[in-house]
Amino acid sequence: MEFKRLDKDRVAALDLEPVVASIVRTQLPTGEIPWSDGDKTDPWDHVEAAMGLAVGGRIVEARRAFAWLASMQLENGSWHASYKEGVPEDRTHDTNMSSYVAVGVYHHFLITADRDFLKTYWPTLRKGLDFALSLQAPGGEIHWATSPDGVVDPMALLTGSSSIYMSLKCGLAIAFELGYAMPHWVEGMQRVREAIRTRPHCFNVTKSRFSMDWFYPMLSGALTGREAQNRLDKYWKKFVVEGQGVRCVSDEPWVTVAETAEFILALSAMGNTDQAHIVFDWIKDSRFDDGSYWCGYTFPNMVIWPEEKLSWTNGVVLMAADALFDLTPAGRLFQHDFWESHEALDLTA
């Protein structure tokens, strides 16, 4: 099909075709995209890999991924936390995993400009977001999951709630495009943002050793402007290994490519483009012989670990490249100024 724009010359210059091909090879005939060959699939990382496919121009494969995901949705709007070849493994119902489909669908729309695609997946993303908001606490944070028996785990995760905030923004953008008013999404989005900004005690503090807890409030746009910059500066030395990338956790000598690529997205989203390019240069050669990206490596001994070729790692590298090199119209998806001027919502209010 025709879609808006893909700068194929830049894709070739950045040697991204092998990255896309790695995801294509991992995808099953059903459309499911496991972490790696023979590994599990979780809904969040499945969407991340599908977005990478779309950045690389593999629209047919990306749509097969969304079709598979929709076919797996449960009646309450959630998904199981993991599958293996379509069979549920972890039957936890995770709010973040159940809402991220909205980000993937809007990302796909920005590339294709296909409103029929939005119409097709509106029921899916609507139920997913409603499930997530059904677990919103009085303080605005969102409980992370329910058990297979439907028992709510009251723990709230800063990374997860930040990601849900981004999902709600995308859901509202889709609703606007289709002409739907979703006031309870607006209220839920505002409440979760306020919790992220002003009530850090609502979230599980033991997760603060993870770099995602540092940069996801900035990546999602829950923190913008001076608040985002202050958070960036405060924990830079805790997580960034100069010349190499971003640690997965602050207390281990392990740089991960996915976290580094997501951090690049956060820097780009904030408008710190020069920094984002510098960090991208640190990881651009962290590849296997087939051109796909490592999951991560230890330092200073530089041991690649683990050795699996992860679909979602390659997906987010493609998204980071898109944000930096303007490969598709979806490269602006996380940009703070894109959302500040978006007709669907006013984030400055």
Side-chain angles (χ1 to χ4, degrees), residues 21 67 90 101 118 125 138 161 196 227 249 256 303-304:
D90 182 347
V101 60
L118 294 186
L125 69 93
S161 287
I196 293 165
E227 284 183 321
V249 292
T256 47
V303 174
I304 299 171

Side-chain angles (χ1 to χ4, degrees), residues 3-5 103-114 118 170 328-334 338-339 342:
F3 51 95
K4 284 182 104 172
R5 176 171 54 82
V103 178
V105 168
Y106 191 55
H107 176 273
H108 196 89
F109 172 72
L110 289 176
I111 292 175
T112 64
D114 185 349
L118 294 186
C170 290
T328 81
R332 57 188 172 161
L333 178 65
F334 292 94
F338 169 70
W339 289 104
H342 202 291

Side-chain angles (χ1 to χ4, degrees), residues 20 23 47-58 107 314-316 318-319:
V20 183
I23 304 173
V47 170
E48 198 86 335
M51 288 194 283
L53 288 172
V55 170
R58 303 302 287 263
H107 176 273
N314 286 289
V316 72
L318 288 161
M319 292 166 63

